[in-house]
């Protein structure tokens, strides 16, 4: 298998502050990483796709200036929630895509998630 | 646009029962379909991945089938145990896309 870690696992912050979440692929190089958001009792919704060395591609409705994504290396992507507000409170999950010999064999491996609570 | 639906949304069964979870998707042009388990407040654990060319995959008490043409997949859990209690998510990877489209999940409770 492959392991993806996230840090921190949970964070509480005051409204207006910025929070950075790290996503690391520990034993493989992830050219592509994904950031998902999950509200209570709902499914995962893709926020953005991050490719190493290039700008992230954001899904419709996701503010790129609020959710800054940086994929500086093949093993690290960061999501920064800028000027966080209570409505940003959610569970954020990242995944890294492990390259395969053919595209259909490429698999995403998920991190354990980061719970953000904005007061 | 790919839409993934899971039925039922919640299911309670007594321990030892066999059960089936259902997943349907609207666009049959997929690379693969994956079943995940999510415990409350936790991340995702991949259970089974079925490539588009495959019909089923098995791991222990779990068996997942895929009927791509009809846009359906089932996850069969044999001899359910209380430890199986979790939310089960299916996700498809659309052909030509990198990201996964997730279903709404089925919350399973196995009663001792």
């Amino acid at each position: 298998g492959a392991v993806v870690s996230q840090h921190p696992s949970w964070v509480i912050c005051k409204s207006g502050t910025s929070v950075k979440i790290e996503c690391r692929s520990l034993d493989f190089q992830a050219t592509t990483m994904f950031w998902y958001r999950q509200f209570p009792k709902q499914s995962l919704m893709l926020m953005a796709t991050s490719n190493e060395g290039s700008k992230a591609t954001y899904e419709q409705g996701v503010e790129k200036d609020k959710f800054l994504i940086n994929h500086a290396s093949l093993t690290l992507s960061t999501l920064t929630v800028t000027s966080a507000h209570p409505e940003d409170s959610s569970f954020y999950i990242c995944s890294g895509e492990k390259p395969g010999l053919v595209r259909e064999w490429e698999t995403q491996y998920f991190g354990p998630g980061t719970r953000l609570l904005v007061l | 646009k790919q839409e993934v639906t899971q039925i039922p949304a919640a299911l309670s069964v007594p321990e030892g029962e066999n059960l089936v979870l259902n997943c349907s998707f609207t666009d049959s042009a997929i690379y693969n379909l994956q079943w995940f388990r999510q415990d409350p407040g936790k991340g995702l654990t991949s259970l089974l991945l079925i490539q588009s060319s495959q019909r089923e995959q098995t791991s222990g008490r779990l068996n997942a089938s895929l009927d791509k043409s009809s846009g359906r997949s089932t996850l069969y859990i044999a001899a359910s145990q209380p430890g199986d209690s979790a939310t089960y998510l299916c996700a498809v990877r659309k052909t030509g896309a990198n990201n996964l489209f997730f279903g709404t999940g089925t919350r399973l409770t196995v009663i001792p």
Side-chain angles (χ1 to χ4, degrees):
Chain A
V3 180
V4 174
S5 70
Q6 275 184 249
H7 179 80
S9 56
W10 59 270
V11 58
I12 301 174
C13 69
K14 292 182 179 180
S15 185
T17 60
S18 293
V19 175
K20 180 186 282 189
I21 303 170
E22 291 186 350
C23 177
R24 292 182 185 273
S25 56
L26 299 184
D27 52 1
F28 68 99
Q29 293 184 329
T31 308
T32 304
M33 286 184 166
F34 303 88
W35 287 94
Y36 295 85
R37 182 173 182 176
Q38 186 179 34
F39 290 106
K41 297 187 179 181
Q42 294 189 24
S43 193
L44 278 73
M45 293 194 62
L46 180 68
M47 297 175 66
T49 302
S50 163
N51 290 297
E52 186 266 338
S54 63
K55 290 184 179 180
T57 302
Y58 291 81
E59 294 299 300
Q60 192 172 11
V62 178
E63 298 176 59
K64 62 179 181 181
D65 294 330
K66 181 166 189 62
F67 298 100
L68 300 178
I69 292 173
N70 183 280
H71 193 161
S73 77
L74 288 172
T75 58
L76 173 64
S77 177
T78 60
L79 169 67
T80 301
V81 183
T82 62
S83 187
H85 288 94
E87 58 266 30
D88 298 324
S89 299
S90 189
F91 193 54
Y92 293 88
I93 303 179
C94 73
S95 69
E97 185 171 72
K98 186 173 183 180
L101 290 177
V102 295
R103 191 167 185 192
E104 67 174 351
W105 289 91
E106 294 170 346
T107 304
Q108 288 185 35
Y109 294 88
F110 286 80
T114 296
R115 185 161 301 283
L116 170 64
L117 177 61
V118 185
L119 301 176
Chain B
K1 184 186 174 186
Q2 179 71 271
E3 292 185 6
V4 184
T5 305
Q6 290 184 246
I7 295 174
L11 179 65
S12 289
V13 299
E15 181 177 3
E17 268 202 12
N18 303 324
L19 59 102
V20 175
L21 307 180
N22 297 291
C23 172
S24 61
F25 48 96
T26 54
D27 187 344
S28 63
I30 63 170
Y31 277 142
N32 56 50
L33 181 143
Q34 204 162 355
W35 283 93
F36 295 89
R37 168 186 174 138
Q38 185 177 32
D39 292 288
K42 303 291 185 182
L44 304 181
T45 300
S46 179
L47 299 173
L48 291 165
L49 184 150
I50 311 176
Q51 301 296 345
S52 62
S53 58
Q54 298 174 325
R55 298 284 291 184
E56 65 177 341
Q57 282 284 342
T58 299
S59 175
R61 294 183 293 109
L62 305 180
N63 176 277
S65 68
L66 173 64
D67 185 343
K68 199 174 73 164
S69 60
S70 67
R72 296 177 188 273
S73 175
T74 61
L75 178 66
Y76 174 82
I77 302 177
S80 59
Q81 302 171 356
D84 295 331
S85 298
T87 295
Y88 290 80
L89 296 163
C90 73
V92 297
R93 182 175 174 188
K94 201 173 157 184
T95 301
N98 287 339
N99 60 292
L100 297 177
F101 291 85
F102 281 85
T104 47
T106 294
R107 190 168 66 256
L108 172 66
T109 303
V110 180
I111 304 165

